[in-house]
Amino acid sequence: MSSELKTLKDKLDYTFKNEEYLLVALTHSSYANEAKLRESNERQEFLGDAVLSLVVSSYLFQRYRMAEGDLTRVRASIVCEKSLCGFAEEIGLGQALLLGKGEEQTGGRERPSILADAFEALIAAIYLDGGLGAAENFIHPFAEHTLGGEPQPGVSDYKTLLQEIVQKNPGEQLSYRLASETGPDHDKCFVAEVLLNSNVIGKGQGRSKKAAEQDAARQALELMGH
C-alpha cells in the first residue's frame, strides 16, 4: 500500500469491507486506458453524483425551513465542482489517485474537474460498500462545514424562533450549555443542550458552538411540534 493511499484511508474515518470499490474510485480513465484495466472511476462517479444529491437534499430538507428555490440554491453551493474539489483536497484525495502519464505530467492531481469527479466516485464506493447510512456519515460533515453552522438566507434562525415561542409563557427560562467538545483543533465536534428552566429539551451537534446550539434548538422545535 502506498503512503498516499494509507493517508487517505486514515482521513476517511471509514473502513472498507471490499477495498476494490475504493481502488476503482481512485482510478482515472487515463490510467485505466494505459494499464488496460476494465474499469475506471467514471461509472462510480455517475452513481456518487446521485447519492450526493439525495443525501444533501435530505440533509437540507430535514434541517432547514426554506422554500424550494432556496433549497436548490444552497444544495448547488454544496455539490458544485468548486466545493467538491475543496472536499477532495481536505482528505488528500488527489495524491492517492491513479493517473496516466499524460495527466500526471500536466497537473492532473490538482485539476478541479478530476478531483470533483473522484470525490463523487469515492462517495459511490462508500455507498456500495456500506450502504446509504455510511454515505450520509461521510457527506454530512462536509455539508455542515460548507454551511458554516449558521442559518442561510431564507432559513429560520432556530434559536430565535424557539426564544419567541418560549417568551409567550412568562416565567419560562431558556438557556444553552456545552455538553461536550471532542476532536482535534481543525476538526472539532461540539455537542450542546438547550434547557427550558432546568430540563433538557433538545440536544444538537456541530463543528462550532453556534452550530451545535442551532441544532439543539431545531430538535427542541421538532419535539414541540413546530
Side-chain angles (χ1 to χ4, degrees), residues 95-116:
Q95 302 311 307
L97 292 178
L98 297 173
L99 300 176
K101 292 177 182 177
E103 284 293 350
E104 183 79 67
Q105 293 170 356
T106 55
R109 293 191 188 281
E110 291 81 36
R111 186 166 294 128
S113 60
I114 289 179
L115 290 175

Side-chain angles (χ1 to χ4, degrees), residues 39-177:
E39 190 167 13
S40 69
N41 63 8
E42 290 178 346
R43 277 168 43 84
Q44 283 190 192
E45 175 211 332
F46 166 80
L47 177 60
D49 177 71
V51 173
L52 175 65
S53 182
L54 172 62
V55 170
V56 171
S57 297
S58 178
Y59 173 88
L60 295 174
F61 180 83
Q62 293 179 43
R63 180 153 299 208
Y64 299 120
R65 297 179 182 184
M66 58 170 76
E68 179 196 1
D70 290 322
L71 285 169
T72 300
R73 177 183 53 75
V74 176
R75 181 182 62 190
S77 73
I78 297 173
V79 304
C80 68
E81 181 180 286
K82 180 180 179 181
S83 292
L84 297 184
C85 177
F87 302 157
E89 289 173 343
E90 280 187 44
I91 60 175
L93 184 57
Q95 302 311 307
L97 292 178
L98 297 173
L99 300 176
K101 292 177 182 177
E103 284 293 350
E104 183 79 67
Q105 293 170 356
T106 55
R109 293 191 188 281
E110 291 81 36
R111 186 166 294 128
S113 60
I114 289 179
L115 290 175
D117 290 349
F119 190 81
E120 290 181 332
L122 177 59
I123 288 172
I126 293 173
Y127 170 76
L128 290 167
D129 190 71
L132 184 59
E136 288 175 334
N137 290 339
F138 177 66
I139 295 168
H140 283 176
F142 291 104
E144 187 168 307
H145 179 68
T146 301
L147 296 174
E150 297 299 325
Q152 300 296 301
V155 182
S156 296
D157 180 339
Y158 296 113
K159 290 179 66 176
T160 299
L161 183 57
L162 182 59
Q163 184 68 42
E164 290 173 351
I165 292 171
V166 171
Q167 284 176 345
K168 294 178 182 178
N169 299 298
E172 300 285 359
Q173 184 67 39
L174 199 63
S175 61
Y176 294 84
R177 69 184 180 197

